[in-house]
Amino acid sequence: MTVTAQVREGVTITEQLADYVLGLRYEDLPEQVVAKTKALLAHHLGIALRDQTSREARLGTQFAALMGGTTGQHTVIGRRERADLMDAVFANSLLMLQGARHDCVLPPNVNPGVAVQPAAWAVGEDVGASGRKFLTAVVVGYDVMTRLHAPTWTWDLDVPRPAKWSVSPFGVAATVARLYGLSRERTVHALGHAGQAGIGIYEGAAQHWMMHALAARGGVLAASLARAGFPASRTPVEGTHGLFESVFLQAVPDAVMDNLITLGDDFAIMRAETRKYPAGVLNGPPVKLLLQLLLANGIRSEDVARVDLVLPCAREAREAVYDTAEQRGPSWLLAAVLADGCLDERRFDEPPDERRCAMRERVRLRFEADRPLRYARVEVTTTDGRQFEAEGDRVEVPPSDLRESLSAGTAAGLPIDRLVDLMQHLEDVPNVADVLACLRPEPTR
Amino acid sequence: MTAVEQRVAAPTISAQLADFVRDLRYEDIPEPVIAHTKELLAHQLGLALSGQRDESARRAVQLAQQLSGPGGACTIVGDRGRADLLDAVFANAFLLGHDGRDDVIMPSGVHPGIIVEPVAWAVGETTAATGRELLVAIVAGYEVMTRLCGSVWTWGAHVPRRPNNVVAPFGAAATAARLMSLSRAQTVSALGHAGQLSTGNAEGTEQLTTCHPLLARNGVTAAILASLGVPAAAEIIEGPNGVYRSYFFQDAPPDLAAGLDSPQREFAIKHAGLKRRIGSELNMVAMELAQHVIESRGLRPAAIERVDIALPVERRAREEVWEAELAAGACGTDMRVGALRFRIANILADADIDTMRFRQAPDAEILGLLERIQLKYEDGHPIRYARLVVTMRNGHTYSAEGDTHVIEPLNWAEWLSESGRGVLSERRLKRVAQLIVDLEDSTVPELMEAVVPDE
């Protein structure tokens, strides 16, 4: 039997996804999936609680205040002010994006946490979802988003387009549809509207940091339209003009169909990685390798004549855009390590200073064929001619417990013990609004 | 000077558009253009008022109010409830476009009114803009959308799509930026964000009524982001990974924004046609031909053997979308409004171009007629061209061809009175008409206040 033959005949991809979205029960989730989901939720809440002054935090609160004022019904993490649904999703997504430590599933290179989670918190609060319902909705969002991205490195397309913000609304819509308790037909329509909500092109990489938050809004709106009874296409994924033909420029590959069959058995959330450094998953290894070389060999930055960073050829087109346009591209990150001895995410919002610019002059990128996508090799040449080299493709992130993840809440004056307790026993929480109540500082007396 | 230096030295397309958006003055716009802009405003406010009688549009209004919560800052046309800026834009765009009579500019097929007008109403209300500022912002928005489409026939691109999917957020952002008095740099950023917020594809027709309101929302979001100081790509249109390459699969023409600062420029809004009938502007010629042949020859549907409709080859990709929906048995009103064969079948059945049959699911008579209507495509015709050949069962044939659709002039007062009946009092409808006539002496909040029903 071919892969496509195993997929139910006459049933569209979104109908299959809708059946999964509505059919998955909390009891179907293995213990480790529940534990991982709670860990990722705590991880992103912890990021959101770290700083209320970053560019992301400022934008979210300013946008919400400008749109709906501060009298909405939804929690903005770490703020006393409330916001409307869409603005809360936007603000919380931005807060979770601080420091670029949000999660990633690679392959296919999607970032479900910063889209699915803020939507789940806001809508969960809206409907008074139980912890179990909430956890299940988050899991289905990760699964839908991850499975809809083709196993394609989008920079290799004839006309490269970032697909992650085209699949992101699907995941968000799935999560929201589940939380709203939409019917099968309306869940299909939610995914259909999500198919029209994809955004983003590769031009202007420096502003891509907020695209996740905008895509999350699009997904919530898609589900809201379906909830209000607006129909949408049943074939937004595989249709002649749907997601695959219009973004990936190809028909739906067998791999995607194959992935549908494992829904409910192989949970994408288990493959979600968090980051040790404030850098993308692909840029973590070069940062780690340079830090290791400097530390292990006692090299001071002023002793470094040059750093050669060798990356796979597959990244060449990407870095032509990201490395030149964004402080967070690989050569900028290595320059920051050389200049500061570490990656200080608070400095990302500042224009690069003279020292960092001088260090960047010493970093060269090279690209080699036949290397896996995550591969990096760092070659350091010192001013006295010594050479050091290290290679790798992973940054291991030690597991952190929920209390550690949420520790930033202490400084924010939140009831951290109660928050940790609720998160540890989220499956027993009758209403996730109780969790969100712990994320709002008490009014000043 | 090297090519790179030249690129740096020349203002980007966004910068040229931003200069136009910011620098355009009411005094620069010729009187006939102002008059046409007012006519479009009256037409589209009327459409929005009539949308209050449409069940689907009412649901959109409810959704907007639900998303906004209580106490929104903006008017929803024909409704006492208010909404936040983005939600009001959404609701008003939906009301305006509920039956597809919003305006269109050919040959690119952009629909500026459904995007630009609701944005201008809502943003103009929040900024307490004058009537003159409103008119200028509308003209600027139409210009940006139309310019950006250039000569691209988006249905002929490698991935066919509706032009508004790409250019609508730019028009919305331009209009909003003007009314928000954004700086030049902020206006460039607004257009940059707009390029990231282009959205939608040509899959399905069920969600057509929601796609424009969402695009309008996105354009305003782009302007708000810029107003909050978030920069965006300056080369969003012509950049190597910009809008033109990403969506149209070609380089942006370097002269896309040429002549915008010339006193002799033509304004795109002049070419915006008011649609007086429900349906795609591209289908109007064929529909009118069908009406003419049926009426002038007194043809009965039972006596018709077949109808062959020849269209320009450029329309093939577009019609294939509608045909695929027809073949799949899609039964939404949007599909029935837009599918040419379906509309021709309606006309054959009722001998009436204004038949409302598309509101109902196809019956046996329509299905039977559909089987007898064929589309074919020919090279060398203008985009509006259609030729209709009706072959009767007795072997007689009747044919007609054309490429021009004549739009009847609009009597504002009559139009507003008719479209707003049952929504606003006659007194208010007269006031709306008068405010538009005297727009130079009134403000957007006054106009918006007038389109709210009495208690």
Side-chain angles (χ1 to χ4, degrees):
Chain A
M1 187 186 283
T2 66
V3 167
T4 37
Q6 292 171 41
V7 175
R8 285 176 295 153
E9 207 175 314
V11 183
T12 68
I13 290 176
T14 50
E15 286 168 342
Q16 291 180 61
L17 290 171
D19 288 338
Y20 171 67
V21 168
L22 301 180
L24 185 70
R25 299 172 311 158
Y26 171 80
E27 293 72 22
D28 299 329
L29 301 178
E31 200 176 307
Q32 65 270 30
V33 171
V34 173
K36 177 76 182 278
T37 307
K38 287 198 270 187
L40 289 171
L41 288 165
H43 173 79
H44 287 88
L45 288 179
I47 297 170
L49 288 167
R50 283 172 70 154
D51 190 356
Q52 290 291 332
T53 61
S54 67
R55 67 172 177 179
E56 289 88 351
R58 289 195 310 271
L59 177 61
T61 49
Q62 287 170 356
F63 193 95
L66 199 59
M67 289 295 96
T70 55
T71 56
Q73 302 298 307
H74 298 86
T75 299
V76 177
I77 297 165
R79 309 284 303 182
R80 290 190 190 94
E81 306 88 353
R82 304 271 205 128
D84 292 336
L85 173 69
M86 303 291 286
D87 300 330
V89 171
F90 186 61
N92 289 333
S93 176
L94 287 169
L95 285 165
M96 291 176 186
L97 282 159
Q98 294 179 108
R101 291 179 193 263
H102 50 284
D103 65 10
C104 177
V105 181
L106 178 72
N109 196 19
V110 293
N111 306 95
V114 284
V116 165
Q117 293 192 24
W121 285 119
V123 177
E125 186 176 32
D126 202 23
V127 300
S130 70
R132 289 182 180 216
K133 189 173 177 182
F134 179 83
L135 285 162
T136 314
V138 170
V139 170
V140 299
Y142 273 66
D143 270 329
V144 168
M145 191 183 298
T146 306
R147 277 171 166 80
L148 282 182
H149 197 298
T152 301
W153 180 241
T154 51
W155 290 98
D156 287 343
L157 297 172
D158 287 344
V159 178
R161 268 189 63 196
K164 59 171 70 175
W165 303 306
S166 288
V167 299
S168 189
F170 284 97
V172 173
T175 293
V176 175
R178 172 72 192 224
L179 286 168
Y180 275 145
L182 299 191
S183 66
R184 180 184 193 256
E185 184 184 31
R186 289 194 175 186
T187 302
V188 171
H189 290 162
L191 298 173
H193 287 297
Q196 296 291 333
I199 52 172
I201 55 177
Y202 275 131
E203 194 67 28
Q207 281 73 52
H208 283 170
W209 55 273
M210 63 179 176
M211 295 300 288
H212 296 287
L214 292 165
R217 284 169 64 96
V220 176
L221 204 44
S224 301
L225 287 167
R227 190 187 190 208
F230 291 104
S233 170
R234 292 167 59 240
T235 52
V237 179
E238 69 271 48
T240 317
H241 303 289
L243 171 74
F244 271 82
E245 293 289 354
S246 62
V247 177
F248 294 107
L249 309 179
Q250 59 185 276
V252 180
D254 278 353
V256 169
M257 306 305 281
D258 205 4
N259 282 338
L260 293 178
I261 295 163
T262 61
L263 278 167
D265 292 325
D266 174 17
F267 294 94
I269 204 164
M270 293 305 290
R271 292 196 293 115
E273 300 173 54
T274 55
R275 309 164 192 202
K276 183 173 181 179
Y277 304 108
V281 164
L282 287 175
N283 289 333
V287 169
K288 179 186 93 168
L289 295 169
L290 180 60
L291 281 166
Q292 280 177 350
L293 283 174
L294 296 179
L295 190 69
N297 299 290
I299 306 168
R300 297 172 308 158
S301 57
E302 49 267 38
D303 299 333
V304 174
R306 64 182 277 163
V307 173
D308 288 276
L309 172 59
V310 181
L311 298 171
C313 274
R315 286 185 64 175
E316 192 164 2
R318 178 185 192 268
E319 301 318 329
V321 172
Y322 278 90
D323 198 48
T324 54
E326 195 186 28
Q327 265 214 68
R328 301 184 203 203
S331 67
W332 281 109
L333 292 170
L334 298 194
V337 169
L338 290 174
D340 305 336
C342 64
L343 276 187
D344 181 354
E345 65 196 64
R346 288 167 301 184
R347 293 199 58 199
F348 285 163
D349 292 353
E350 305 164 7
D353 60 18
E354 210 172 296
R355 180 171 164 78
R356 197 179 285 198
C357 290
M359 291 301 170
R360 188 173 179 249
E361 291 295 307
R362 300 181 199 180
V363 182
R364 299 278 184 280
L365 296 192
R366 288 205 326 265
F367 299 94
E368 281 184 2
D370 302 324
R371 298 290 188 185
L373 190 59
R374 292 169 182 260
Y375 175 83
R377 189 170 72 250
V378 174
E379 301 165 357
V380 175
T381 306
T382 58
T383 49
D384 61 4
R386 290 178 296 153
Q387 291 194 320
F388 304 90
E389 182 182 309
E391 65 178 352
D393 60 9
R394 297 260 165 191
V395 178
E396 297 304 329
V397 182
S400 58
D401 68 16
L402 298 184
R403 180 171 290 279
E404 191 184 335
S405 293
L406 294 165
S407 59
T410 309
L414 301 178
I416 198 73
D417 290 336
R418 175 158 169 74
L419 178 60
V420 170
D421 185 51
L422 286 170
M423 288 300 292
Q424 278 172 339
H425 304 100
L426 192 55
E427 62 274 27
D428 299 323
V429 170
N431 185 342
V432 293
D434 295 341
V435 179
L436 288 151
C438 295
L439 296 168
R440 296 190 302 270
E442 287 292 316
T444 315
R445 289 183 184 149
Chain B
M1 191 183 271
T2 67
V4 172
E5 285 166 340
Q6 274 175 354
R7 204 165 136 215
V8 170
T12 65
I13 293 172
S14 295
Q16 293 174 67
L17 293 173
D19 285 339
F20 168 74
V21 168
R22 276 180 49 77
D23 296 345
L24 183 65
R25 299 174 312 156
Y26 174 83
E27 295 73 21
D28 299 333
I29 306 172
E31 195 280 327
V33 176
I34 291 288
H36 188 53
T37 306
K38 288 183 181 180
E39 187 177 37
L40 292 168
L41 174 61
H43 183 239
Q44 296 182 107
L45 268 177
L47 286 174
L49 286 168
S50 68
Q52 285 288 353
R53 295 192 291 267
D54 180 82
E55 184 272 331
S56 175
R58 285 296 313 153
R59 268 188 289 131
V61 169
Q62 284 164 8
L63 174 61
Q65 290 169 342
Q66 190 186 327
L67 288 171
S68 285
C74 297
T75 298
I76 294 176
V77 175
D79 200 287
R80 290 204 59 76
R82 296 174 74 78
D84 292 340
L85 175 60
L86 294 179
D87 300 320
V89 167
F90 173 84
N92 287 331
F94 200 110
L95 286 164
L96 192 166
H98 73 281
D99 66 5
R101 276 185 292 173
D102 56 293
D103 62 14
V104 62
I105 295 182
M106 300 303 291
S108 60
V110 290
H111 291 253
I114 193 170
I115 303 297
V116 167
E117 300 269 3
V119 170
W121 305 340
V123 179
E125 185 175 18
T126 59
T127 60
T130 64
R132 287 181 184 228
E133 286 166 350
L134 178 79
L135 290 164
V136 174
I138 289 173
V139 170
Y142 272 67
E143 195 68 34
V144 166
M145 272 183 77
T146 313
R147 286 275 178 155
L148 274 183
C149 226
S151 57
V152 176
W153 175 245
T154 58
W155 290 101
H158 176 61
V159 175
R161 61 179 82 241
R162 297 180 174 85
N164 269 30
N165 288 144
V166 181
V167 301
F170 286 94
T175 295
R178 170 72 192 217
L179 288 166
M180 292 160 75
S181 301
L182 298 192
S183 69
R184 181 179 192 258
Q186 286 174 324
T187 305
V188 170
S189 291
L191 298 173
H193 292 303
Q196 295 290 352
L197 291 171
S198 294
T199 186
N201 55 51
E203 185 62 24
T205 56
E206 295 90 336
Q207 64 281 334
L208 273 180
T209 45
T210 57
C211 98
H212 290 117
L214 294 175
L215 288 159
R217 242 185 100 103
N218 281 2
V220 180
T221 301
I224 292 167
L225 290 170
S227 78
L228 292 172
V230 184
E235 295 189 339
I236 194 73
I237 297 159
E238 69 273 45
N241 294 292
V243 161
Y244 252 74
R245 289 193 55 75
S246 297
Y247 291 112
F248 299 151
F249 302 89
Q250 58 180 265
D251 290 328
D255 59 350
L256 209 57
L260 275 173
D261 52 357
S262 162
Q264 281 78 44
R265 73 195 142 203
E266 273 229 335
F267 287 93
I269 198 167
K270 244 180 73 180
H271 303 290
L274 287 87
K275 236 191 280 173
R276 308 301 300 279
R277 293 190 157 116
I278 297 172
S280 165
E281 179 69 12
L282 276 176
N283 290 342
M284 285 301 159
V285 172
M287 287 166 61
E288 286 179 353
L289 293 174
Q291 163 85 355
H292 170 71
V293 171
I294 297 295
E295 202 173 53
S296 63
R297 301 288 178 174
L299 306 182
R300 290 177 300 105
I304 294 171
E305 174 77 25
R306 58 182 287 150
V307 178
D308 293 285
I309 305 170
L311 299 171
V313 71
E314 290 80 7
R315 283 187 61 173
R316 184 192 296 275
R318 178 184 184 278
E319 301 319 313
E320 279 174 357
V321 170
W322 295 104
E323 286 298 311
E325 294 288 303
L326 266 177
C331 56
T333 308
D334 291 335
M335 189 283 294
R336 297 199 296 265
V337 168
L340 177 57
R341 282 199 310 126
F342 195 87
R343 298 303 299 275
I344 298 293
N346 290 180
I347 294 167
L348 296 183
D350 291 352
D352 178 9
I353 195 168
D354 292 319
T355 175
M356 291 289 150
R357 271 215 194 212
F358 58 79
R359 294 197 190 281
Q360 305 151 15
D363 54 19
E365 182 183 22
I366 295 296
L367 292 173
L369 284 165
L370 274 172
E371 285 177 11
R372 288 181 256 161
I373 303 168
Q374 316 292 328
L375 301 184
K376 64 176 183 177
Y377 302 95
E378 294 177 352
D379 281 321
H381 294 300
I383 198 68
R384 289 172 189 261
Y385 175 84
R387 188 176 68 251
L388 198 82
V389 180
V390 180
T391 305
M392 308 303 291
R393 293 197 193 279
N394 63 9
H396 290 165
T397 62
Y398 305 97
S399 66
E401 66 178 340
D403 58 16
T404 310
H405 161 55
V406 179
I407 297 164
E408 300 150 25
L410 182 77
N411 179 318
W412 304 359
E414 270 179 28
W415 163 251
L416 283 166
S417 173
E418 176 196 324
S419 54
R421 189 170 302 137
V423 181
L424 296 185
S425 65
E426 201 54 38
R427 181 185 62 80
R428 277 196 177 262
L429 289 166
K430 281 183 182 153
R431 175 162 164 72
V432 174
Q434 197 56 48
L435 280 168
I436 297 173
V437 170
D438 301 328
L439 201 53
E440 288 82 350
D441 301 318
S442 54
T443 66
V444 182
E446 284 174 311
L447 182 63
M448 289 295 101
E449 191 275 332
V451 295
V452 176
D454 296 308
E455 279 191 68

